[in-house]
């Protein structure tokens, strides 16, 4: 869906400044329906890379293809149609100050000349989804930072894009809103097969939603691959530092590719029995068990999550239930 | 013409004294079934242009030399109907009482309108303050051949001249402006144009319209004794009837 | 002195000024806005980079702004005749007023549009808006507040410009102040016309400020 | 026809215009900027809310903008005498030019300053800047680009305004174009003066645009 | 140091909008030298609360005291001096577009009329600390999002403030830069006793740096206290959701108030023995044990962290060492 080949981008020098080599010989391929994450330090060139995809920047060298079309070669009109299919969430929101929240979200639909009724329905639904229905008539200057970002998200989704570019779409949001937005994106991805290219510095976001991830440093992609393999076995020093600093985090609300999920708690005196069951199950590789709260509870016990195929999970749960005094609370 | 049907006559004029004089003949013409519309204009080109192009039926603001120059330069066809009055130009001062008191290197303010330049220079030449290279044709400051008193000339907007009288040693001022500034041309002027001046203000029309009945009525009305009296009483010698 | 005030003349002059300024403000906006838009969008790095258009418009605008108003009046005389059927009176005076004020307002529009956040224009472009849509739906609405206060400045300038409408018999308060007040040494007329002019300016300013404030959403 | 061009007159007129416009642009900026600042900072919700100052300044500004230029000239001649020692000639003409243009520029300054991001002003206030520091170190630098293009507009307006300097014998190109060109039916003079005026405007515009672009850091 | 009493703030209604009650009867006390975190959903009123502290907003009701001075009662001049001692990092950066990075950081020092040489030294040092020395001569429009935020941070610190208000200071930053900024803040806090009031939605930041935390919801503080007690035992539903969604995260790089810390790994067959030791130790309350990686390793084992007084930790470690086949890797 997105294909960057041999991309370089240099910002020319300006009075008192060296020219900035923001990107150097970057190749990137994102498949249709994929959720692709880009991480990297501040100034690594992430935003610049993203902006090339919808032609907001033109590469100094190399070609950018989206959906088979070479973006930099498109005529004005084709570029416009191409762009209507590429949504973008900006790092700095870029909302129209003169329009209300509602009208901001309606903007791309109006531009695409959608019928009034369609616009009304779509906008109302989107505002509902991002939790801003009650602020629909407010102007951007009256919104908090996170509210602005949510408007930007709703706006980017309005036109049912095939590709969505997200520049730190959730970095101004609290965890709860973040998780609801990620749920929304994942759902749209599943339902419509939208391709997502997202920049973030929150490992948890990558972890929660991305299929693949690329790590950027100094204008280059220094590491890339499946999220688990990159984070599980970081090679480049930048990735290592990232992984080390942001602990591997996996909560019940961010299922990766799990099919079923179950949570149970056991106290220390049950622990020995439980361990006898889950130790071998984990070693067999059929289920994954993780700890849902990191700190041991005051009773010395722990809450675990089981993740895996339905039958495997059920089998383990059944074997745990055999222990008479084991409390198992199942949340699907 | 039909007595019942009012005929409109549009005449362009400058405010003082032309429009004021025209105002006086309105009732007279009304009786003749002519409604006189006075269009007050502020510069010296527009009224002629408007008459030439038929926007106005006649105008009343200029003297014959200006009309001739305009006709020559623009190829227009303005024609004098009749002369009405002269506004003699005079020289005034707040610093000296007699022209002989004028010092060397004194500043003299004169109107900046090119239409007045020749007239002013001829007047100064006549009074012996300067000498022109010859006395025919249009004159500019550079046509001054001799300037024995080494006078310095300042060109100002005509209407502004009276206001700046205190600033200069001598100012040559159109009588209408002098009058408005409470100067008495008869008493206060150090010298003034004589009645022999060619600068009679005329009622003018486009060639071929001079026999228009309405224009003829207007010309007749302007020459009435009533108007003569009005001019003499109102302008007290600053504007002199030329009929 | 004040008993010499000719109220009929004053009211007529007030009407003439209101008429001339009203009409010419309307047309100034009508021509100035597109010109200002052209000046911006055709410039380097803008959404419709076209250097020759930029140069052409800039030159025309500069020519009209360079020519003194009085000469503009006299040159546009035939145009007035053609457009409004007469070359004398208040209606004819609006032609040079518009010709003088529209290029001026165009420059103000230009400045206002340049102040619009580039990020917002980028966002609109990235959503596949046409250039026209960017102008109509982004540039103009985002700059409305500045456009209105610029129009206020222009309208006030027109009020004082209209004093020169006397050249073509347009009349108006400024002309009345000059002719019946200043030239005729009638201070009563002068002051009355002056006060009315100031009141008119104040009124325009109030209305302009009010709209500008209403439309400023930042 | 073109052989009748009186070059000596033209060069003198060019010099007079340059002189008048140069001086009056300088002083217009000098008075216009503080006035514009006052108009902004004393307004509701601004850093030095003072309604009576706002009203007073706004009224003075409006009065000067309401009075037709020609009347301004004649009213200000005592002032010219007092300030520059003469009430005639180009130097004297700068006084009414400044009086006419400064309030106008003040309004443009006002518009430009109002466009400055409120967040930045807030940031400066939160760092304990004095109001004066906010004006000098935040408002003006952040608005420089708009202030310069506004000054360009004003300067061009002054060029065309200066045509009226003939009232007090100021002369200049506009006056020459009218008197020696238009009134004297000398098309050569008219066109030459006209071209020089347009060139002057173009020059001012270029310089202004260049500075404005240099200073725009967004 | 900071004392808010009975604060309410209502934004008046505007055309088409209801009035917004951004804050309702909020009390808050932050002690000198304390690092106080505020969390809450988007639109909860966090930014508004922060802006009251340096008088950018005036409360509709209630009093705000900083360093004993009532902010809303101060005369212009006193307020100015008070503000010079209150640094602020803005959610939207609010950098001067017309100044270079260097001059932006120099701004507060120039305003306080510091000598040139002092300014030069201070600014250079700060840019070094936030890693922007090489972009010193760039203008804000040429910076990436994270770079802008770092300029804002350097600027806020320039004047050696006694109180620092941070509105999502690190939310646009990658984990590595975040951690270096947090280190910097902690260091300054330790060295100069600066009081920090910070808004964040990253639990990890609160965890890493804050002493106390308040949770806001709908314009009110719904929960507050020691970070550990609030997060360890969340009472209000918002806090619970936050804690649940952002799992309790504690890495070796973010020591909270621990005195010693030790990490050890055990395989499933050691688990029963280990549990027999740590279960009772946790119940006794003398040590805290937490899990350092959430997911069970492929061997079914786990890595644990022990936290507590040196003697207690050592005692537990000793008892664990008694088991012959137990591998204990100690990281202090
Ligand atoms: N100037 C204003 N006019 C009207 N409403 C406002 C204004 N400023 C803020 N609000 C409203 O007040 C409420 C609190 O805003 P605030 O900025 O304090 O939220 P916040 O907790 O900082 O959120 P975020 O995490 O998204 O930045 C929001 O509902 C917001 O829309
Ligand atoms: N218009 C510009 N002119 C000059 N330099 C620029 C410009 N835009 C970006 N840069 C520089 O290019 C580099 C890459 O910028 P980019 O915005 O892509 O970084 P980023 O990875 O998105 O960082 P962040 O996470 O902080 O947003 C930075 O060093 C930045 O300063
Ligand atoms: Mg970025
Ligand atoms: Mg906020």
């Amino acid at each position: 869906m997105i294909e960057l080949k041999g991309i370089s981008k240099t910002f020319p020098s300006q009075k008192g400044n060296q020219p900035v080599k923001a990107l150097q010989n970057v190749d990137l391929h994102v498949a249709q329906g994929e959720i692709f994450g880009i991480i990297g330090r501040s100034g690594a060139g992430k935003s610049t890379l993203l902006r090339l995809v919808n032609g907001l920047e033109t590469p100094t060298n190399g070609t950018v293809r989206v959906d088979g079309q070479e973006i930099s070669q498109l005529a004005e009109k084709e570029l416009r149609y191409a762009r209507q299919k590429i949504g973008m969430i900006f790092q700095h929101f870029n909302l129209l100050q003169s329009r209300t929240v509602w009208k901001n979200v309606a903007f791309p639909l109006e531009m695409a000349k959608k019928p009034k009724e369609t616009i009304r329905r779509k906008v109302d639904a989107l505002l509902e989804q991002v939790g801003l229905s009650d602020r629909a008539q407010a102007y951007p200057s009256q919104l908090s930072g996170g509210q602005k970002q949510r408007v930007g998200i709703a706006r980017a989704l309005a036109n049912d894009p095939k590709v969505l570019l997200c520049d730190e779409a959730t970095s101004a949001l609290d965890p709860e809103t973040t998780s609801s937005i990620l749920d929304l994106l994942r759902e749209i991805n599943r339902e419509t097969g939208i391709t997502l290219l997202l920049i973030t510095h929150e490992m948890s976001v990558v972890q929660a939603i991305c299929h693949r991830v690329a790590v950027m440093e100094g204008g280059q992609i220094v590491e890339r691959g499946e999220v688990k393999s990159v984070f599980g076995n970081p090679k480049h020093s930048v990735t290592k530092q990232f992984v080390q600093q942001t602990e591997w985090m996996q909560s019940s609300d961010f299922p990766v590719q799990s099919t079923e999920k179950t949570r149970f708690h056991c106290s220390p005196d049950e622990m020995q029995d439980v361990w006898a069951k889950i130790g071998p199950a984990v070693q067999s590789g059929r289920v994954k068990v993780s700890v849902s709260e990191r700190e041991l509870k005051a009773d010395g016990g722990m809450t675990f999550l089981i993740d895996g195929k339905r039958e495997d999970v059920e089998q383990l749960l059944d074997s745990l239930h055999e222990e008479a005094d084991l409390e198992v609370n199942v949340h699907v | 013409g039909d007595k019942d049907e009012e005929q409109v006559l549009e005449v362009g004029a400058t405010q003082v004294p032309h429009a004021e004089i025209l105002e006086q003949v309105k009732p007279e013409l009304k009786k003749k079934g002519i409604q006189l519309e006075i269009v007050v204009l502020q510069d010296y080109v527009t009224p002629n242009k408007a008459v030439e192009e038929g926007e106005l039926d006649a105008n009343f603001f200029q003297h014959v030399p200006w009309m001739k120059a305009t006709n020559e330069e623009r190829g227009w066809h303005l024609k004098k109907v009749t002369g009405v009055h002269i506004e003699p130009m005079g020289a005034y001062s707040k610093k000296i009482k007699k022209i002989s008191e004028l010092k060397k290197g004194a500043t003299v303010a004169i109107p900046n309108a090119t239409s007045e330049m020749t007239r002013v220079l001829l007047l100064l030449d006549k009074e012996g303050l300067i000498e022109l290279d010859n006395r025919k044709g249009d004159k500019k400051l550079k046509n001054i051949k001799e300037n024995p008193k080494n006078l310095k000339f300042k060109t100002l907007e005509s209407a502004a001249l009276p206001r700046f009288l205190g600033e200069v040693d001598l100012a040559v001022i159109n009588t209408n402006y002098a009058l408005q500034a409470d100067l008495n041309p008869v008493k206060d002027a150090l010298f003034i144009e004589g009645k022999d001046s060619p600068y009679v203000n005329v009622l003018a029309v486009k060639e071929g319209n001079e026999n228009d009945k309405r224009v003829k009525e207007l010309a007749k009305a302007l020459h009435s004794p009533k108007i003569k009296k009005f001019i003499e009483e109102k302008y007290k010698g600053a504007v002199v009837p030329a009929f | 002195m004040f008993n010499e005030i000719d109220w009929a003349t004053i009211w007529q002059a007030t009407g003439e000024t209101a008429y001339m300024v009203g009409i010419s403000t309307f047309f100034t906006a009508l021509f100035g806005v597109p010109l200002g838009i052209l000046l911006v969008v055709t410039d380097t790095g803008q959404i419709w980079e076209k250097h020759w258009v930029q140069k052409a418009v800039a030159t025309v605008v500069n020519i009209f702004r360079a020519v003194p108003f009085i000469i503009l009046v006299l040159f546009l005389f035939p145009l007035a005749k053609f457009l409004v059927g007469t070359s004398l009176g208040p209606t004819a005076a609006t032609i040079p007023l518009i010709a003088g004020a529209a290029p001026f307002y165009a420059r103000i529009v230009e400045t206002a549009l340049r102040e619009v956040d580039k990020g917002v224009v980028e966002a609109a472009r990235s959503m596949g808006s046409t250039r026209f849509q960017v102008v109509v739906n982004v540039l103009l609405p985002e700059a409305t507040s500045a456009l209105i206060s610029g129009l206020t400045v222009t309208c006030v300038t027109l009020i004082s410009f209209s004093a020169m409408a006397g050249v073509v018999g347009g009349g108006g308060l400024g002309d009345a102040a000059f002719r019946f007040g200043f030239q005729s040494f009638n201070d009563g007329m002068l002051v009355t016309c002056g006060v009315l002019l100031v009141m008119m300016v104040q009124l325009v300013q109030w209305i302009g400020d009010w709209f500008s404030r209403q439309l400023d959403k930042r």
Side-chain angles (χ1 to χ4, degrees), chain A, chain B, chain C:
Chain A
M1 195 70 184
I2 304 174
E3 209 182 309
L4 308 188
K5 266 209 191 116
I7 295 288
S8 297
K9 174 77 193 181
T10 306
F11 290 103
S13 64
Q14 292 200 310
K15 202 178 52 180
N17 282 318
Q18 294 294 313
V20 179
K21 290 188 182 173
L23 292 176
Q24 292 176 55
N25 200 29
V26 172
D27 291 315
L28 184 70
H29 184 87
V30 182
Q32 146 97 52
E34 194 174 19
I35 305 185
F36 198 100
I38 298 175
I39 59 169
R41 287 190 210 158
S42 170
K46 306 181 295 294
S47 298
T48 309
L49 182 73
L50 205 70
R51 291 160 56 82
L52 285 162
V53 175
N54 62 357
L56 285 181
E57 303 276 5
T58 45
T60 315
N61 271 311
T63 56
V64 180
R65 283 173 176 281
V66 178
D67 209 4
Q69 293 180 301
E70 190 172 335
I71 291 293
S72 48
Q73 298 293 315
L74 289 183
E76 167 69 16
K77 203 169 174 180
E78 297 160 329
L79 180 60
R80 220 161 61 224
Y81 288 126
R83 279 173 166 171
Q84 291 191 354
K85 293 285 136 220
I86 307 177
M88 181 155 178
I89 303 167
F90 291 85
Q91 193 168 6
H92 303 301
F93 324 137
N94 290 350
L95 302 180
L96 286 111
Q97 300 291 320
S98 56
R99 286 182 166 227
T100 60
V101 166
W102 201 95
K103 292 287 267 172
N104 260 289
V105 178
F107 185 84
L109 297 167
E110 286 177 16
M111 296 305 99
K113 306 217 170 75
K114 294 282 156 71
K116 274 240 170 74
E117 181 51 29
T118 316
I119 297 181
R120 210 191 46 69
R121 220 168 348 97
K122 189 90 200 172
V123 174
D124 285 345
L126 278 165
L127 286 181
E128 189 67 43
Q129 280 178 308
V130 298
L132 280 177
S133 301
D134 56 326
R135 304 290 284 147
Q137 294 312 315
Y139 285 91
S141 64
Q142 301 165 338
L143 297 182
S144 75
Q147 288 168 336
K148 282 184 212 167
Q149 199 156 45
R150 285 183 274 158
V151 178
I153 292 169
R155 183 176 68 175
L157 290 173
N159 229 343
D160 299 322
K162 285 161 122 183
V163 174
L164 183 62
L165 309 174
C166 313
D167 198 347
E168 315 240 347
T170 57
S171 71
L173 299 177
D174 59 277
E176 200 195 332
T177 316
T178 298
S179 112
S180 74
I181 296 291
L182 293 182
D183 279 342
L184 177 65
L185 292 180
R186 201 165 26 217
E187 198 180 301
I188 293 171
N189 170 259
R190 210 163 26 221
E191 280 169 11
T192 67
I194 193 175
T195 309
L196 262 93
L197 182 58
L198 59 87
I199 295 176
T200 182
H201 59 266
E202 295 169 296
M203 297 307 115
S204 61
V205 171
V206 176
Q207 176 63 12
I209 188 173
C210 294
H211 303 135
R212 287 197 298 153
V213 66
V215 182
M216 292 192 69
E217 175 64 7
Q220 292 177 310
I221 296 185
V222 293
E223 196 162 355
R224 72 179 93 198
E226 297 283 310
V227 174
K228 293 217 163 175
S229 71
V230 171
F231 286 0
N233 182 18
K235 295 208 177 64
H236 193 274
S237 63
V238 177
T239 325
K240 280 185 186 151
Q241 280 173 314
F242 269 51
V243 172
Q244 206 177 344
Q245 272 147 3
T246 330
E247 285 283 338
W248 190 250
M249 197 174 90
Q250 179 173 354
S251 90
S252 57
D253 294 77
F254 299 163
V256 187
Q257 281 143 311
S258 68
T259 47
E260 295 295 323
K261 185 161 288 184
T262 310
R263 184 197 290 252
F264 67 92
H265 182 81
C266 67
S267 57
D269 38 310
E270 298 163 342
M271 197 59 89
Q272 298 196 353
D273 302 328
V274 170
W275 214 266
K277 308 267 179 200
I278 62 172
V282 168
Q283 274 173 305
S284 77
R286 280 179 302 122
V287 296
K288 274 198 177 154
V289 175
S290 57
V291 184
S292 96
E293 278 127 26
R294 317 208 69 252
E295 203 154 343
L296 271 61
K297 291 285 152 69
D299 66 356
M302 267 182 165
T303 305
F304 291 94
L305 298 168
I306 315 177
D307 190 0
K309 285 214 206 93
R310 179 177 278 270
E311 60 256 35
D312 295 330
V313 173
E314 277 176 358
Q315 202 185 321
L316 180 55
L317 283 173
D318 285 348
S319 71
L320 287 171
H321 272 293
E322 281 162 21
E323 306 294 323
D325 50 356
L326 213 60
E327 302 164 23
V328 180
N329 309 302
V330 181
H331 320 251
V332 183
Chain B
D2 198 335
K3 259 212 161 185
D4 306 334
E5 219 178 294
E6 278 224 329
Q7 289 178 310
V8 178
L9 180 64
E10 281 186 285
V11 181
T14 38
Q15 180 69 20
V16 188
H18 309 83
E20 289 175 2
I21 294 172
L22 286 172
E23 201 63 45
Q24 298 303 312
V25 302
K26 262 188 173 172
E28 196 69 26
L29 291 178
K30 186 125 192 163
K31 282 183 217 153
K32 302 262 159 69
I34 298 166
Q35 189 193 337
L36 181 63
E37 292 275 356
I38 305 163
V39 179
V40 181
L41 298 165
Q42 277 206 39
D43 83 312
Y44 292 153
V45 179
T46 319
N48 279 342
K49 198 164 185 174
V51 167
E52 174 72 19
E53 291 176 358
E55 279 282 321
L56 295 174
D57 297 307
N59 66 39
F60 174 38
F61 76 100
Q62 65 196 327
H63 44 61
V64 177
W66 175 251
M67 190 180 78
K68 275 189 177 156
T70 309
N71 280 346
E72 268 167 37
E73 292 290 340
R74 303 270 153 132
W76 290 348
H77 312 84
L78 291 147
K79 193 144 195 257
K80 165 181 167 180
V81 176
T82 182
V84 180
H85 68 267
I86 307 167
E87 300 166 34
M89 210 168 243
Y92 302 82
S93 175
K94 283 201 171 155
K95 300 209 171 131
I96 56 172
K97 294 264 165 326
K98 278 182 292 179
I99 196 65
S100 54
E101 289 168 18
L102 195 65
K103 288 202 207 73
K104 280 207 169 193
T107 310
V108 180
I110 58 176
N112 64 9
T114 48
S115 54
E116 310 281 30
M117 193 61 77
T118 311
R119 185 175 174 188
V120 170
L121 291 177
L122 283 174
L123 178 61
L124 292 175
D125 176 281
K126 188 174 156 241
E127 293 295 323
L129 289 173
I130 57 166
E131 194 178 327
L132 293 170
D133 44 14
N134 72 58
R135 303 216 165 90
K136 291 215 178 75
D138 279 346
K139 296 289 168 256
K140 289 180 186 162
L141 284 174
K142 68 175 179 191
N143 293 110
I144 297 173
K145 197 173 70 185
E146 299 284 344
N147 185 356
K149 288 204 165 177
N150 198 16
L151 299 176
K152 294 203 180 63
F153 293 96
K154 280 235 180 267
T155 56
L156 304 180
E157 170 70 27
S158 308
L161 283 165
R163 305 251 169 187
F164 293 111
L165 190 52
E167 306 299 309
V168 294
D169 297 304
L170 190 72
V172 181
I173 306 177
N174 298 66
T175 304
N176 55 326
Y177 292 126
L179 217 66
Q180 284 163 354
D182 279 342
L183 292 168
N184 186 332
V186 183
K187 280 197 282 174
D188 296 335
L190 299 185
F191 56 85
I192 195 161
E193 273 179 328
K195 289 189 181 179
D196 51 347
S197 164
Y199 296 93
V200 173
N201 282 227
V202 299
L203 176 69
V205 294
K206 191 172 181 182
E207 217 175 291
N209 291 346
E210 56 267 31
N211 292 322
D212 185 308
K213 187 175 161 291
R214 295 167 301 158
V215 175
K216 284 196 139 174
E217 288 292 348
L218 174 59
K220 209 171 105 194
L222 281 171
H223 281 206
S224 68
K226 182 188 157 213
I227 297 302
K228 186 167 192 147
K229 197 164 153 253
F230 169 77
I231 293 174
E232 280 166 352
E233 278 175 9
K234 166 117 190 173
Y235 301 110
K236 300 189 174 68
V239 179
V240 185
F243 50 90
Chain C
M1 182 151 280
F2 272 68
N3 53 357
E4 288 171 39
I5 295 170
D6 179 355
W7 288 103
T9 305
I10 285 182
W11 294 136
Q12 193 197 332
T14 309
E16 282 162 353
T17 297
Y19 173 81
M20 286 190 291
V21 172
I23 291 196
S24 43
T25 301
F26 175 78
F27 282 98
T28 294
L30 200 70
F31 297 124
V33 171
L35 283 174
I37 291 170
L38 272 182
L39 281 173
V40 173
V41 297
T42 57
D43 203 6
T44 317
Q46 297 288 349
I47 55 173
W48 194 50
E49 209 173 315
K50 277 265 178 300
H51 287 287
W52 67 268
V53 177
Q54 226 277 339
K55 285 238 172 73
V57 175
T59 306
V60 169
V61 162
N62 282 349
I63 288 177
F64 275 94
R65 290 178 60 210
V67 177
F69 184 73
I70 195 155
I71 298 187
L72 213 55
V73 169
L74 299 166
F75 265 109
L76 293 179
F77 197 94
L79 193 65
K81 177 103 188 168
F82 175 73
L83 287 176
V84 298
T86 172
S87 51
L88 294 175
T91 310
T94 58
I95 303 291
L97 282 174
I98 295 164
F104 167 80
Y105 186 52
R107 287 286 176 198
I108 293 188
V109 171
E110 185 194 357
T111 308
L113 296 186
R114 281 192 201 280
E115 296 291 310
V116 172
D117 184 4
K118 281 188 182 158
V120 179
V121 175
E122 251 183 11
R125 294 290 286 162
S126 84
M127 286 182 271
S129 312
T130 62
R131 296 191 177 102
F132 183 76
Q133 285 176 323
V134 170
V135 169
V136 173
N137 295 294
V138 181
L139 286 182
L140 294 180
E142 292 289 292
T144 318
S145 163
L147 290 180
I148 297 281
S149 54
L151 193 60
T152 311
V153 168
T154 310
C155 184
V156 171
T157 305
L158 276 170
I159 292 177
S160 99
F161 251 40
S162 73
M164 272 179 285
V167 175
V168 289
L173 277 174
D175 188 41
F178 181 63
R179 285 193 287 127
F180 303 114
F182 195 83
Q183 282 194 350
S184 314
F185 287 78
N186 181 335
D187 289 349
M189 280 294 266
L190 185 59
V191 170
T192 311
C193 291
V195 167
L196 280 170
L197 274 172
V198 173
M199 277 167 59
M200 222 174 218
V201 168
Q202 199 86 21
L203 187 73
V204 167
Q205 192 75 45
W206 274 335
I207 296 174
D209 284 353
W210 187 83
F211 270 109
S212 175
R213 209 166 298 135
Q214 288 300 306
L215 292 164
D216 193 353
K217 296 302 180 194
R218 280 164 311 164

